Amino acid sequence: MRNFLSVNDAPNVPELVAKAAQMKANPFGFEALGRRKTLGLLFFNPSLRTRISTVKAAQNLGMETIVMNVTQDSWQLETEDGAVMDGGKAEHVKEAAAVIGSYCDVLAVRSFPGLVDREEDYQEKILQAFVQYSGKPVINMESATLHPLQSLTDLLTIEEFKKVERAKIVLSWAPHVKPLPQAVSNSFAQWVNHTNHELVIAAPEGMELSTEYAGKAEVLNDQAVALDGAHFVYAKNWSSYQHYGQIADHPDWIIDQTKMNLTQEAFFMHCLPVRRNVVVSDEVMDSDQAIHIQQASNRTWAAQAVLHSILEKL
Ligand code: CP
C-alpha cells in the first residue's frame, strides 16, 4: 500500500480487517518492520483517539513518531497555486510538505472541512497537497470528507461482535448542537458497502449523504422503520450535504432505549467523542449493548494494520 486516503487504497477490505485482527492478537510481532523509520503526525484539528492510537500503533511496529499541532505550533499554510502571499499565511504547503517529508518516512494528516464551500471541501486540498508534495506515503487521519482509519476500526469491531454472517447495520443521523463534517458517515457507508452486510442509512429529509458514498445502502427518512430488526446501530451527526454545512433541528432523533428496543438487541456504536443525552441517552451508553469503548480501543489495530501495509512496501 502506498497511501491510505480511502477504502480505494485497501487492495482487499476483508484481508485488511483480518490484518487488524492479527495485529491485535500479536501487537509486538512486527517490531523490526518500523525500526529507524519515522511517522510524522500532522494535526490541523483536535484529536484524542486518532492521535494516541496512531502513535501507539507506530510504536508497536518499532517506529519513532513526531507529532505537530500544525495550526497552533507552525506557520499558517497557503494552498492556492500562484497566490500572492502578502496576507497572514507565511508558508506555502508546497514547501511545508516537502520539508516535513524530508524528515519522515510516512506522514499522517488530519484536516477537517470548513463546511462553507462544498466544492472546496470535497477537493481535499490539504490532504492532496501532502500526497503531491511530500514525496512520502500519506495516511488520512480524517480529512474533509473521509475517515478511513475509523471505518476500518468499525469493520473490525463489527466482525468481533456480529452474531449473524450478514448483519443489518443502521447508520442513523443523530441530533447535535453544531455543524459536523460528513467524513465519518461517508467513510462508514463506503466501507460497509465493501462487505456483505446490509446497510440502511436513516436521516431526516435534507440530511441524506452524498449518493457517491451512500452507494447501494437503503436510505430512509423514517428512523423507526430503519431501526426495525437491526443488529448494529451506528449513531452519528453530520451537517447537510445538500444545504451544505447547515444543521437540522430534530432532537427526537436521539438514540434512546425505546429506539434500541426496535432492534434485534443491536449493539450501539459511535466513533466518539459523543454528546450524551443529545446524540444518545445515558441509558444506552451505559448499557451492555454499547460497544463504543471496545470500538475506540480497536483504533490502534486498524492504524497498525495500515502502517504495516505501508512499511512492508517501503
Ligand atoms: N473518532 C475519532 O477520530 O476520535 P478523535 O477525533 O478524538 O481522534
Side-chain angles (χ1 to χ4, degrees):
M1 190 189 292
R2 169 68 186 179
N3 298 307
F4 185 71
L5 309 180
S6 79
V7 73
N8 299 324
D9 293 309
N12 183 306
V13 168
E15 281 178 16
L16 193 57
V17 174
K19 184 182 264 199
Q22 185 191 3
M23 297 297 147
K24 186 170 184 173
N26 186 16
F28 308 113
F30 307 92
E31 271 177 301
L33 192 61
R35 193 166 162 266
R36 303 219 171 132
K37 296 276 193 291
T38 299
L39 173 66
L41 297 97
L42 306 174
F43 288 93
F44 290 80
N45 304 93
S47 167
L48 187 156
R49 281 144 289 275
T50 306
R51 177 174 176 149
I52 296 176
S53 63
T54 309
V55 167
K56 176 79 179 145
Q59 289 171 347
N60 287 351
L61 292 167
M63 298 184 83
E64 304 291 330
T65 57
I66 300 170
V67 182
M68 178 179 261
N69 297 317
V70 182
T71 38
Q72 289 164 37
D73 301 339
S74 187
W75 309 106
Q76 272 196 60
L77 297 184
E78 177 60 65
T79 56
E80 296 302 324
D81 253 346
V84 176
M85 292 173 55
D86 56 359
K89 296 179 178 173
E91 180 155 24
H92 203 284
V93 71
K94 289 184 181 183
E95 282 74 51
V99 170
I100 296 167
S102 77
Y103 303 147
C104 300
D105 300 284
V106 182
L107 298 182
V109 178
R110 165 166 286 199
S111 176
F112 288 175
L115 293 178
V116 175
D117 183 335
R118 184 169 82 183
E119 198 181 329
E120 169 144 344
D121 287 346
Y122 275 67
Q123 282 175 29
E124 296 282 15
K125 283 186 179 170
I126 291 282
L127 190 69
Q128 290 301 334
F130 277 90
V131 172
Q132 191 173 353
Y133 301 118
S134 72
K136 295 294 160 67
V138 174
I139 296 172
N140 180 349
M141 292 195 298
E142 188 172 345
S143 63
T145 64
L146 294 170
H147 195 356
L149 284 176
Q150 180 67 53
S151 310
L152 176 56
T153 304
D154 299 336
L155 290 198
L156 172 62
T157 310
I158 288 167
E159 197 58 30
E160 290 175 337
F161 282 88
K162 72 181 184 190
K163 292 178 182 161
V164 293
E165 265 320 297
R166 180 172 153 77
K168 178 176 177 181
I169 301 168
V170 178
L171 169 62
S172 180
W173 182 92
H176 207 276
V177 294
K178 60 178 218 178
L180 295 187
Q182 295 113 33
V184 168
S185 311
N186 281 345
S187 197
F188 183 72
Q190 195 180 39
W191 282 72
V192 176
N193 276 324
H194 276 73
T195 73
N196 290 325
H197 298 305
E198 177 188 355
L199 177 63
V200 178
I201 302 174
E205 236 178 287
M207 302 307 287
E208 296 88 352
L209 295 172
S210 158
T211 52
E212 180 186 346
Y213 299 109
K216 62 187 181 189
E218 184 181 9
V219 180
L220 296 174
N221 297 129
D222 187 323
Q223 193 186 34
V225 172
L227 290 171
D228 181 42
H231 299 102
F232 291 90
V233 176
Y234 197 115
K236 184 72 185 84
N237 172 269
W238 60 86
S239 59
S240 179
Y241 177 75
Q242 289 93 332
H243 311 288
Y244 193 65
Q246 290 184 19
I247 59 172
D249 185 24
H250 298 287
D252 53 320
W253 276 64
I254 185 174
I255 299 292
D256 59 15
Q257 197 53 51
T258 308
K259 306 261 179 75
M260 292 300 285
N261 289 343
L262 300 171
T263 71
Q264 293 195 53
E265 297 183 342
F267 291 108
F268 174 82
M269 300 177 72
H270 193 283
C271 62
L272 304 180
V274 70
R275 289 179 184 250
R276 281 172 172 250
N277 304 311
V278 175
V279 172
V280 52
S281 70
D282 277 338
E283 194 182 5
V284 173
M285 282 295 277
D286 297 331
S287 73
D288 290 341
Q289 295 307 108
I291 56 172
H292 53 286
I293 302 298
Q294 295 93 324
Q295 184 184 354
S297 171
N298 278 339
R299 290 294 306 270
T300 302
W301 318 118
Q304 198 167 327
V306 167
L307 279 168
H308 184 282
S309 300
I310 290 172
L311 287 170
E312 65 183 357
K313 298 282 184 202
L314 273 187

